[in-house]
Amino acid sequence: MAKTPEPKRTISLKPCDGDVIEVSPMIAKQMQTIQSFIEDDSFIATTTIIPLPNVTAFQLSKIIDYLNYHSNSKAVADNVKESTKKFDEEFLKELEHDKLKELLHAANYLNVKEVLDFLCQAVADLIQDKSVKFVRKFFGVVNDYSVEEEEDIRRTHAWAFEGVEED
Amino acid sequence: MEEVKGRRKVKRMRGRTELAEDLVENILARLSVKSLMRFKCVDRSWNVLFKTPTFVNNHLQIHRNQDILMFSHTHNFRWEVLNKNYSLSRIDTRDLFPEFDSEGYHCDDNIHSFNTQGHCNGVFCICVFYNHEIIPGEGRYHELILWNPATREVKVVPPPPMSSRSHRYNLFFGFGADPNSNDLKIVNLIIDDENSHPPYSVLYNLITNSWTLITIDPLPVDATDSTYDMKGFLAKGVCYWIISQSYKNYRDILCFDFHNNQFHILKRPPTSIGYNHDFITEVNDSTAYVVHYGDSYYHTGYSRNVEIWILENDRWTKKYTFPPFEVLDGLYAIWKDGAEFIGVVVQAANFEVFNSDSQSIRDLRVRSLTTDVLYKYVESIASLSF
């Protein structure tokens, strides 16, 4: 960047379904995939627009929102913790299951550890007390046990099925 | 390697909303053991995944710093879990250990007593003493069991090989794991009281389910007339036994490194007066020696600083000093990165939490008189059978 006479302050990202979104270098730094673009010799900050064929404008702006909010609220004071918790809840509220999974894909593609960890934890919290059937549906897993085999596991670990919603 | 493995797995995805397997693993490693035991029957590959060492270790790593303490009691088989928010819950052991009633008293005439020997990576090692020989004629009255409360799995450890020994001997017992592989191990060091046999040591490895004799260098440990707790303290893959002798200025700590299976000796921090009130633990991912009473205890009474000495290059360095708690009698554990202590108030019957910043005290409602040890507990999916 030192080579350019007037260094541009932002990085241009082009989602698959919308206009270019400008992000600060600090936000771009947290996206490992973008970081490798920037470190490439052919990258010129003023003109290069990084195409993101696997990320929608909605997903990109969600991820940027999350990073923006959390980079500004690193303090540990109780009132900050409280409002962070509220932000996280609101953030997830807008996401139904499919949208949540798609956002996970996008975060994975961009390789943003902070968002990835947050979303993985959110899915874990969602399925923690759910039934086997719910989890199979959520992850699109086709059961490959025979009826007897599955019965056997359910019997030996009957305690693990207590207090959980029914199939 | 990981990268290629991850990519190859992606082809199993069926649509845009199916998640790549590395993401699924990342999510599942965050679940409680109870949920994982239930999701074994989602499909075969999940059941296999939960048994792989990588998954078991990832799960352990994610859950390791959750500040959960386990109280183990001496006279009754009672296990209480203390969570970060001070909520207390009891582990139901009646299905697994029918020989103990709902209050934790043994209702089996064969059992004499039991002793919790240690905790490592979610697994407890318990020694059960019987009133009769386990196998008539063998002369063995006790048995070691491993117990994972989260998976509800119990395993009986085969008896260690015995070599001929005199009547009186000193036993050092250690339970831990190789810090790299997390393979669970038990070490016994036997030192003959009359020195008629050289000291010897045996090591049990859960993976091979067998004991091996390990060669030891001559140890400068003088176990005669010394006081020490048979079970050591485990911190960062090393087991420590604090040894003291009332009339000698003996300041040694015997150490066993579960990484290279070797014993070595360390000196106690200079302000420590003995094993009785000191303990070794992990604080902020370092090995820490906690000194509660110093040399002047007998002159100044209870108001003594709490000192935390951190192990750096085989030397103890004093890192933290906390102002004295006027009423603190015994100190048992540190949690929340050293912000709080668990201890007992003078002449009180319950455990209390001492906050060093606010100097406040909170009653935990766990009886201290019958409590044996307090362990930093972590839930683990680790299996005890291979």
Side-chain angles (χ1 to χ4, degrees):
Chain A
M1 281 227 263
K3 279 180 272 176
T4 51
E6 261 191 343
K8 195 172 79 140
R9 304 294 302 172
T10 57
I11 313 285
S12 312
L13 306 176
K14 171 85 177 72
C16 63
D17 64 343
D19 295 334
V20 168
I21 296 176
E22 300 287 332
V23 296
S24 70
M26 201 195 66
I27 295 293
K29 220 188 171 99
Q30 296 180 67
M31 304 174 176
Q32 281 299 312
T33 306
I34 306 301
Q35 196 55 27
S36 52
F37 263 106
I38 296 172
E39 280 160 11
D40 194 277
D41 286 343
S42 62
F43 179 80
I44 305 158
T46 40
T47 53
T48 309
I49 293 170
I50 301 173
L52 300 172
N54 294 324
V55 183
T56 66
F58 169 77
Q59 291 157 0
L60 186 59
S61 50
K62 278 296 259 188
I63 290 169
I64 294 167
D65 277 356
Y66 185 89
L67 291 175
N68 266 331
Y69 187 88
H70 281 261
S71 61
N72 294 330
S73 61
K74 289 280 186 232
V76 287
D78 280 348
N79 56 342
V80 177
K81 263 193 214 162
E82 212 35 59
S83 55
T84 304
K85 205 177 144 205
K86 210 167 166 201
F87 173 87
D88 289 353
E89 278 168 10
E90 288 297 319
F91 185 93
L92 292 170
K93 218 182 244 174
E94 300 169 19
L95 302 165
E96 333 123 36
H97 295 171
D98 280 357
K99 277 219 171 97
L100 179 59
K101 284 187 270 183
E102 282 165 10
L103 190 59
L104 242 170
H105 267 307
N108 195 36
Y109 172 74
L110 292 172
N111 203 352
V112 208
K113 192 178 181 306
E114 201 180 331
V115 179
L116 210 49
D117 281 347
F118 170 70
L119 293 175
C120 284
Q121 188 59 52
V123 176
D125 293 344
L126 175 75
I127 63 171
Q128 184 78 265
D129 295 317
K130 292 289 195 292
S131 70
V132 170
K133 207 172 162 185
F134 178 95
V135 170
R136 276 188 195 134
K137 189 162 172 268
F138 187 90
F139 289 100
V141 177
V142 180
N143 178 20
D144 59 358
Y145 283 115
S146 70
V147 179
E148 294 78 26
E149 283 171 327
E150 191 180 333
E151 254 326 295
D152 193 45
I153 297 179
R154 282 177 184 265
R155 217 178 13 253
T156 21
H157 303 298
W159 57 272
F161 293 83
E162 286 165 14
V164 172
E165 66 176 42
E166 292 291 313
D167 277 339
Chain B
M1 281 296 274
E2 280 304 306
E3 196 62 16
V4 175
K5 208 171 128 207
R7 293 263 160 76
R8 185 153 32 83
K9 284 177 179 172
V10 176
K11 72 171 188 285
R12 276 198 44 181
M13 288 161 44
R14 274 173 290 265
R16 259 217 46 91
T17 56
E18 303 304 330
L19 296 172
E21 277 193 29
D22 49 349
L23 283 179
V24 174
E25 287 184 28
N26 188 339
I27 293 163
L28 297 179
R30 294 162 193 274
L31 293 175
S32 70
V33 171
K34 184 184 174 186
S35 296
L36 292 176
M37 295 304 272
R38 184 167 70 254
F39 297 155
K40 272 179 171 203
C41 68
V42 165
D43 87 333
R44 276 177 221 275
S45 70
W46 283 30
N47 193 2
V48 172
L49 172 71
F50 299 162
K51 290 174 187 159
T52 59
T54 317
F55 184 83
V56 172
N57 290 342
N58 285 346
H59 183 268
L60 204 58
Q61 223 45 51
I62 286 176
H63 296 261
R64 196 182 282 285
N65 295 317
Q66 288 192 336
D67 279 323
I68 301 174
L69 293 173
M70 177 83 87
F71 293 93
S72 141
H73 299 268
T74 31
H75 300 305
N76 50 359
F77 203 79
R78 199 184 162 93
W79 300 79
E80 283 163 302
V81 179
L82 180 70
N83 286 302
K84 193 154 56 180
N85 59 4
Y86 310 106
S87 69
L88 200 65
S89 55
R90 215 175 126 195
I91 293 188
D92 190 350
T93 54
R94 277 170 299 169
D95 291 351
L96 276 178
F97 301 97
E99 53 273 51
F100 297 99
D101 66 17
S102 60
E103 275 308 293
Y105 293 102
H106 57 84
C107 38
D108 183 337
D109 284 345
N110 294 321
I111 292 177
H112 177 265
S113 60
F114 70 93
N115 221 330
T116 309
Q117 300 287 24
H119 165 261
C120 181
N121 296 346
V123 178
F124 288 91
C125 181
I126 299 166
C127 188
V128 182
F129 298 91
Y130 293 89
N131 285 320
H132 57 83
E133 288 175 280
I134 295 168
I135 298 168
E138 249 192 14
R140 198 162 53 86
Y141 290 83
H142 68 274
E143 189 169 63
L144 286 174
I145 58 171
L146 298 178
W147 173 43
N148 182 340
T151 59
R152 305 197 181 187
E153 195 181 0
V154 174
K155 183 194 173 69
V156 176
V157 176
M162 301 270 180
S163 75
S164 61
R165 56 164 83 123
S166 68
H167 198 64
R168 284 165 58 85
Y169 61 93
N170 290 285
L171 171 68
F172 292 84
F173 187 101
F175 178 54
D178 184 317
N180 295 334
S181 63
N182 283 333
D183 293 347
L184 289 171
K185 295 173 180 179
I186 298 170
V187 67
N188 282 359
L189 172 67
I190 294 105
I191 300 178
D192 198 291
D193 230 16
E194 282 125 35
N195 284 319
S196 48
H197 296 282
Y200 73 98
S201 178
V202 281
L203 183 73
Y204 169 78
N205 191 328
L206 176 64
I207 301 269
T208 57
N209 193 31
S210 61
W211 293 85
T212 44
L213 197 67
I214 52 173
T215 48
I216 45 172
D217 294 331
L219 281 170
V221 175
D222 184 1
T224 48
D225 299 320
S226 59
T227 45
Y228 64 91
D229 197 341
M230 179 178 80
K231 47 197 172 205
F233 299 102
L234 184 68
K236 300 200 71 71
V238 178
C239 196
Y240 299 90
W241 294 268
I242 303 170
I243 304 167
S244 59
Q245 282 167 312
S246 50
Y247 56 92
K248 293 179 200 163
N249 189 22
Y250 197 74
R251 313 196 55 83
D252 284 354
I253 303 169
L254 174 67
C255 318
F256 180 79
D257 190 334
F258 282 104
H259 183 51
N260 61 13
N261 299 336
Q262 286 296 312
F263 285 96
H264 61 278
I265 300 285
L266 276 181
K267 291 287 172 209
R268 290 204 313 260
T271 53
S272 142
I273 57 158
Y275 87 102
N276 232 328
H277 303 286
D278 295 350
F279 63 93
I280 294 171
T281 184
E282 283 176 24
V283 173
N284 294 332
D285 213 31
S286 299
T287 302
Y289 191 112
V290 182
V291 178
H292 178 208
Y293 295 92
D295 288 325
S296 59
Y297 158 60
Y298 295 103
H299 307 295
T300 56
Y302 293 109
S303 47
R304 203 39 218 182
N305 288 337
V306 175
E307 296 170 357
I308 298 179
W309 296 69
I310 299 292
L311 189 63
E312 287 167 343
N313 303 321
D314 280 349
R315 294 182 75 95
W316 300 104
T317 312
K318 185 150 78 176
K319 278 284 160 74
Y320 312 98
T321 303
F322 298 97
F325 292 103
E326 295 296 332
V327 291
L328 179 61
D329 190 17
L331 198 58
Y332 287 78
I334 300 182
W335 73 342
K336 302 186 178 178
D337 295 334
E340 289 188 343
F341 303 93
I342 314 281
V344 178
V345 170
V346 180
Q347 289 176 344
N350 286 349
F351 276 101
E352 329 243 353
V353 176
F354 296 77
N355 188 299
S356 52
D357 293 331
S358 62
Q359 286 277 308
S360 61
I361 299 177
R362 172 198 282 262
D363 188 348
L364 288 174
R365 302 186 182 280
V366 178
R367 285 185 67 76
S368 60
L369 297 171
T370 55
T371 301
D372 190 7
V373 245
L374 234 175
Y375 293 103
K376 227 170 212 169
Y377 177 64
V378 54
E379 243 197 27
S380 165
I381 182 92
S383 173
L384 301 177
S385 50
F386 292 92

